[in-house]
Amino acid sequence: MTRPPADRADSLRRSEIRVLFDAAARLGDDVIRLEVGEPSFTTPAHVIEAAARAARDGHTGYGPNGGLLSLRELLADKLLGVNRIEASVDEIVVTPGAMNGLYSVYLALLDPGDEVLLPTPGFPNMDEMVRLLGGRPVFYRLSADAGFLPDAAALEELVTERTKVLFVNTPANPTGAVYPPSLMEGLVELAARRDLWLVCDEVYDEMVLSPDCVHTAAGPFDPDGRVVTVCSFSKVYAMTGWRVGYVAAPAALADVLRTLQEPLVSCPSTISQKAAEAALTGPRAPYEAMLDAYRRRRVVALEVVEAAGLRAVAPDGTLYMLVDVSDAGLDDLDFALGLLRSHSVSVAPGSVFGPAGRGWARISLAAESEAIAEGLRRLAKALHEQEAERIGIGS
């Protein structure tokens, strides 16, 4: 290469989840894969057939920058029914996945040096995305003792004159926390009081696992148009490879997002959008069956954790659970790599989820129940072995 890449690209850090992903792939099929949140279900047949039919019918060209009107009309109904958000079609922008939606939102909102409040443990791509766009990530810590729910008062102490955005994620990756209504209302009030944008990642909105919880969106508490809601078809509808996300935002910001789509991606895939329409209008039974399976896997995981003497925080939503591996006395990436080498189990090291993730490992509930149970038993064995070696038992 004659000249090096730009500093912002050269400094971009690769996710340690991908390090484990690649290492596990090299070891073959005997590895228990608990590191990636890829649904274990194939996209339902009626969605696949709708995409094939759309291609045969000629829906293979460019679409509007912000998504097909027919899909946005369906999304307006979905947002009202599931998220209790009243959004017109002009306030909805369809994107090639939620990641692209989030990138466009930050591109629209951030100037160089602006600060974004991000949770830790939290979604690992957020801080890199903010840095890539010239912003400054500022972490607010989530405590296991508090169920990984944010403390609004402590969070407000981090706000400075450069703070532009408060980012929240519920149901949350990697913690599985589902924020209660009072907390969501309080976060919206905080954003209003300090004149912040509130970007709410709700991609797991229909994946609540605990019978005691319901998902509460931030949007219904928003009186003055400062909440931006980001959702996706990937996890809820087992459509990760179709790359369809969507953003609900105040009309002026939504218009900016549509404009940004042109130089970024031109438009989302027309065929994928037709598949998304089928996901919204077709039978619900496949999705209910998936959710029931994830709920059963959660029960199995918690039973094994208790029997094995592990510490974990029961997830109320998403596909994930955090397990405490701090007794190993190792960097969590080193522990994860050792677990993979010695016990053929691949987990996500907690450090990838920010400073407060250290000492934890994320377990994905996307695997089958038997794999989850065996993987957790092997993790407990490895943890106890490492703890014994650290304190000198048997030496």
Side-chain angles (χ1 to χ4, degrees):
M1 188 179 295
T2 305
R3 294 190 179 208
D7 289 343
R8 63 177 175 273
D10 200 38
S11 63
L12 193 67
R13 295 173 296 184
R14 190 181 187 218
S15 169
E16 292 172 349
I17 297 176
R18 286 293 172 179
V19 174
L20 269 295
F21 183 92
D22 292 345
R26 288 193 296 269
L27 293 178
D29 295 336
D30 291 334
V31 175
I32 296 176
R33 306 292 297 271
L34 303 179
E35 82 279 9
V36 176
E38 175 77 29
S40 55
F41 301 96
T42 302
T43 303
H46 71 277
V47 176
I48 296 172
E49 176 52 35
R53 185 169 57 252
R56 290 192 298 267
D57 290 347
H59 294 285
T60 56
Y62 291 122
N65 295 138
L68 300 173
L69 175 60
S70 53
L71 176 55
R72 287 184 285 128
E73 288 173 339
L74 292 172
L75 288 172
D77 292 338
K78 180 269 174 184
L79 284 164
L80 183 60
V82 174
N83 310 80
R84 301 294 185 263
I85 294 173
E86 295 184 16
S88 70
V89 293
D90 291 332
E91 295 172 314
I92 299 171
V93 181
V94 183
T95 62
M99 286 299 299
N100 176 262
L102 285 164
Y103 187 88
S104 296
V105 168
Y106 282 127
L107 185 61
L109 297 182
L110 296 182
D111 288 313
D114 284 345
E115 296 175 350
V116 180
L117 298 177
L118 299 172
T120 178
F123 185 47
N125 288 327
M126 283 300 92
D127 53 321
E128 292 302 312
M129 187 182 292
V130 169
R131 289 190 187 96
L132 190 63
L133 291 170
R136 178 173 176 263
V138 176
F139 288 110
Y140 59 92
R141 300 180 74 90
L142 306 176
S143 167
D145 293 337
F148 292 118
L149 298 175
D151 180 326
L155 203 164
E156 186 166 9
E157 293 179 1
L158 298 174
V159 177
T160 73
E161 61 182 12
R162 294 310 305 265
T163 307
K164 180 72 70 70
V165 176
L166 167 59
F167 173 83
V168 299
N169 173 210
T170 177
N173 174 14
T175 66
V178 176
Y179 293 10
S182 58
L183 175 57
M184 296 304 291
E185 184 175 17
L187 292 173
V188 175
E189 290 173 352
L190 166 60
R193 187 164 60 250
R194 302 306 295 266
D195 193 22
L196 307 176
W197 286 98
L198 178 59
V199 176
C200 194
D201 178 338
E202 299 181 26
V203 301
Y204 295 95
D205 55 1
E206 296 184 75
M207 296 187 72
V208 175
L209 307 182
S210 171
D212 300 324
C213 286
V214 294
H215 168 64
T216 301
F221 300 107
D222 180 23
D224 57 358
R226 65 181 63 252
V227 172
V228 180
T229 304
V230 181
C231 296
S232 172
F233 283 81
S234 290
K235 305 300 173 70
V236 171
Y237 298 98
M239 293 178 65
T240 53
W242 298 83
R243 310 313 303 137
V244 186
Y246 52 102
V247 178
L253 178 58
D255 192 48
V256 173
L257 297 178
R258 280 188 290 273
T259 302
L260 288 173
Q261 293 265 83
E262 175 67 31
L264 286 175
V265 295
S266 180
C267 63
S269 161
T270 304
I271 293 174
S272 291
Q273 289 182 81
K274 286 298 180 182
E277 290 179 7
L280 291 172
T281 59
R284 296 293 303 176
Y287 310 117
E288 292 168 359
M290 293 180 204
L291 187 57
D292 286 344
Y294 294 135
R295 287 171 172 166
R296 290 194 299 271
R297 293 171 189 177
R298 172 185 181 270
V299 171
V300 168
L302 293 175
E303 289 174 347
V304 175
V305 161
E306 183 177 5
L310 294 169
R311 179 184 179 230
V313 178
D316 287 323
T318 76
L319 297 173
Y320 312 109
M321 180 175 70
L322 288 180
V323 178
D324 187 348
V325 297
S326 59
D327 285 346
L330 295 173
D331 176 85
D332 45 69
L333 177 59
D334 291 337
F335 175 79
L337 290 170
L339 177 66
L340 177 60
R341 288 192 301 266
S342 301
H343 296 274
S344 297
V345 178
S346 182
V347 299
S351 56
V352 75
F353 304 107
R358 296 191 183 281
W360 297 87
R362 190 192 72 176
I363 306 301
S364 171
L365 303 179
E368 297 293 339
S369 295
E370 296 79 6
I372 293 169
E374 180 60 23
L376 284 169
R377 284 191 286 264
R378 293 185 193 182
L379 183 150
K381 185 174 186 293
L383 185 59
H384 297 326
E385 290 172 350
Q386 192 63 48
E387 184 181 8
E389 181 179 331
R390 178 171 60 85
I391 63 178
I393 297 176
S395 61

Coordinates of all heavy atoms in Angstrom, one line a residue, residues 277-308:
E277 N -42.1 -7.5 4.8 CA -43.6 -7.4 4.7 C -44.3 -8.7 5.0 O -45.3 -8.7 5.8 CB -44.0 -6.8 3.4 CG -43.6 -5.4 3.1 CD -44.1 -4.9 1.7 OE1 -44.8 -5.7 1.0 OE2 -43.7 -3.8 1.3
A278 N -43.8 -9.8 4.5 CA -44.4 -11.1 4.8 C -44.2 -11.5 6.2 O -45.1 -12.1 6.8 CB -43.7 -12.1 3.8
A279 N -43.1 -11.1 6.8 CA -42.8 -11.4 8.2 C -43.9 -10.7 9.1 O -44.4 -11.2 10.1 CB -41.4 -11.0 8.6
L280 N -44.3 -9.5 8.7 CA -45.2 -8.7 9.5 C -46.7 -9.2 9.3 O -47.5 -9.1 10.2 CB -45.1 -7.2 9.2 CG -43.8 -6.5 9.6 CD1 -43.7 -5.1 9.0 CD2 -43.7 -6.5 11.1
T281 N -47.0 -9.6 8.1 CA -48.4 -9.9 7.7 C -48.7 -11.4 7.8 O -49.9 -11.8 7.8 CB -48.7 -9.4 6.3 OG1 -47.8 -10.0 5.3 CG2 -48.6 -7.9 6.2
G282 N -47.7 -12.3 7.8 CA -47.9 -13.7 7.7 C -48.2 -14.3 9.1 O -48.4 -13.6 10.1
P283 N -48.2 -15.6 9.2 CA -48.6 -16.3 10.4 C -47.6 -16.0 11.5 O -46.4 -15.9 11.3 CB -48.6 -17.8 10.1 CG -47.7 -17.9 8.8 CD -47.9 -16.6 8.1
R284 N -48.1 -15.9 12.8 CA -47.2 -15.6 13.9 C -46.7 -16.9 14.6 O -45.8 -16.8 15.4 CB -48.0 -14.8 15.0 CG -48.5 -13.5 14.5 CD -47.3 -12.5 14.4 NE -46.5 -12.4 15.5 CZ -45.4 -11.6 15.6 NH1 -45.0 -11.0 14.5 NH2 -44.7 -11.5 16.7
A285 N -47.3 -18.0 14.2 CA -46.9 -19.3 14.9 C -45.4 -19.6 14.9 O -44.8 -20.0 15.9 CB -47.7 -20.4 14.3
P286 N -44.7 -19.3 13.7 CA -43.2 -19.6 13.8 C -42.5 -18.8 14.8 O -41.5 -19.3 15.4 CB -42.8 -19.3 12.3 CG -44.0 -19.4 11.5 CD -45.1 -18.9 12.4
Y287 N -42.8 -17.5 14.9 CA -42.1 -16.7 15.9 C -42.5 -17.0 17.3 O -41.6 -16.9 18.2 CB -42.5 -15.2 15.5 CG -42.3 -14.9 14.1 CD1 -43.4 -14.5 13.3 CD2 -41.1 -15.1 13.4 CE1 -43.3 -14.3 11.9 CE2 -40.9 -14.9 12.1 CZ -42.0 -14.5 11.3 OH -41.9 -14.3 10.0
E288 N -43.7 -17.4 17.5 CA -44.1 -17.8 18.9 C -43.4 -19.1 19.3 O -43.0 -19.2 20.4 CB -45.6 -18.0 19.0 CG -46.4 -16.7 18.8 CD -47.9 -16.9 18.6 OE1 -48.3 -18.1 18.5 OE2 -48.6 -15.9 18.5
A289 N -43.2 -20.0 18.3 CA -42.4 -21.2 18.6 C -41.0 -20.9 18.9 O -40.4 -21.5 19.8 CB -42.5 -22.2 17.4
M290 N -40.4 -20.0 18.2 CA -39.0 -19.6 18.5 C -38.9 -19.0 19.9 O -38.0 -19.3 20.7 CB -38.5 -18.5 17.5 CG -38.4 -19.0 16.0 SD -37.8 -17.5 15.0 CE -38.4 -18.1 13.4
L291 N -39.8 -18.1 20.2 CA -39.7 -17.5 21.5 C -39.9 -18.5 22.6 O -39.2 -18.4 23.7 CB -40.8 -16.4 21.6 CG -40.8 -15.5 22.9 CD1 -39.5 -14.8 23.0 CD2 -41.9 -14.5 22.8
D292 N -40.8 -19.4 22.4 CA -41.0 -20.5 23.4 C -39.7 -21.3 23.6 O -39.4 -21.6 24.8 CB -42.2 -21.4 23.0 CG -43.5 -20.8 23.2 OD1 -43.6 -19.8 23.9 OD2 -44.5 -21.3 22.6
A293 N -39.0 -21.6 22.5 CA -37.8 -22.3 22.6 C -36.7 -21.5 23.4 O -36.0 -22.1 24.3 CB -37.3 -22.6 21.2
Y294 N -36.6 -20.2 23.1 CA -35.7 -19.4 23.9 C -36.0 -19.3 25.4 O -35.1 -19.3 26.2 CB -35.6 -18.0 23.3 CG -35.1 -17.9 21.9 CD1 -35.7 -17.1 20.9 CD2 -33.9 -18.6 21.5 CE1 -35.2 -17.0 19.6 CE2 -33.5 -18.5 20.2 CZ -34.1 -17.7 19.3 OH -33.6 -17.7 18.0
R295 N -37.3 -19.3 25.7 CA -37.7 -19.3 27.1 C -37.3 -20.6 27.8 O -36.9 -20.6 28.9 CB -39.2 -19.0 27.2 CG -39.6 -17.5 26.9 CD -41.1 -17.3 26.7 NE -41.4 -15.9 26.6 CZ -42.5 -15.4 26.2 NH1 -43.5 -16.3 25.9 NH2 -42.7 -14.1 26.1
R296 N -37.5 -21.7 27.1 CA -37.1 -23.0 27.7 C -35.6 -23.1 27.9 O -35.1 -23.6 28.9 CB -37.6 -24.1 26.8 CG -39.1 -24.3 26.8 CD -39.5 -25.7 26.1 NE -39.1 -25.8 24.7 CZ -39.8 -25.4 23.7 NH1 -41.0 -24.8 23.9 NH2 -39.3 -25.5 22.5
R297 N -34.9 -22.5 26.9 CA -33.4 -22.6 27.0 C -32.9 -21.7 28.2 O -32.0 -22.0 28.9 CB -32.8 -22.1 25.7 CG -33.0 -23.0 24.6 CD -32.6 -22.4 23.3 NE -33.0 -23.2 22.1 CZ -32.8 -22.9 20.9 NH1 -32.2 -21.7 20.6 NH2 -33.2 -23.7 19.9
R298 N -33.6 -20.6 28.4 CA -33.3 -19.8 29.6 C -33.5 -20.5 30.9 O -32.6 -20.5 31.8 CB -34.2 -18.5 29.6 CG -34.1 -17.7 30.9 CD -35.1 -16.5 30.8 NE -35.1 -15.6 31.9 CZ -35.8 -15.8 33.0 NH1 -36.6 -16.9 33.1 NH2 -35.7 -14.9 34.0
V299 N -34.6 -21.3 31.0 CA -34.8 -22.1 32.2 C -33.7 -23.1 32.4 O -33.2 -23.3 33.5 CB -36.2 -22.7 32.1 CG1 -36.4 -23.7 33.3 CG2 -37.3 -21.7 32.1
V300 N -33.4 -23.8 31.3 CA -32.3 -24.8 31.4 C -31.0 -24.2 31.8 O -30.3 -24.7 32.7 CB -32.1 -25.5 30.0 CG1 -30.8 -26.3 30.0 CG2 -33.3 -26.4 29.7
A301 N -30.7 -23.0 31.2 CA -29.4 -22.4 31.6 C -29.4 -22.0 33.0 O -28.3 -22.2 33.7 CB -29.2 -21.1 30.7
L302 N -30.4 -21.4 33.6 CA -30.5 -21.0 35.0 C -30.4 -22.2 35.9 O -29.8 -22.1 37.0 CB -31.7 -20.2 35.2 CG -31.8 -18.8 34.5 CD1 -33.1 -18.1 34.8 CD2 -30.6 -17.9 35.0
E303 N -31.0 -23.3 35.5 CA -30.9 -24.5 36.3 C -29.5 -25.1 36.4 O -29.0 -25.5 37.5 CB -31.9 -25.6 35.8 CG -33.4 -25.3 36.0 CD -34.3 -26.3 35.3 OE1 -33.7 -27.1 34.5 OE2 -35.5 -26.3 35.6
V304 N -28.8 -25.1 35.3 CA -27.4 -25.6 35.3 C -26.5 -24.6 36.0 O -25.6 -25.1 36.8 CB -26.9 -25.7 33.8 CG1 -25.5 -26.1 33.8 CG2 -27.8 -26.8 33.1
V305 N -26.7 -23.3 35.9 CA -25.9 -22.3 36.6 C -26.0 -22.6 38.1 O -25.0 -22.6 38.8 CB -26.4 -20.9 36.2 CG1 -25.9 -19.9 37.3 CG2 -25.8 -20.5 34.9
E306 N -27.2 -22.8 38.6 CA -27.4 -23.0 40.0 C -26.8 -24.3 40.5 O -26.1 -24.3 41.5 CB -28.9 -23.0 40.3 CG -29.2 -23.2 41.8 CD -30.7 -23.1 42.1 OE1 -31.5 -23.0 41.2 OE2 -31.1 -23.1 43.4
A307 N -27.0 -25.4 39.7 CA -26.4 -26.7 40.1 C -24.9 -26.7 40.1 O -24.3 -27.3 40.9 CB -27.0 -27.7 39.1
A308 N -24.3 -25.9 39.2 CA -22.9 -25.9 39.0 C -22.2 -24.9 39.9 O -21.0 -24.8 39.9 CB -22.5 -25.6 37.5

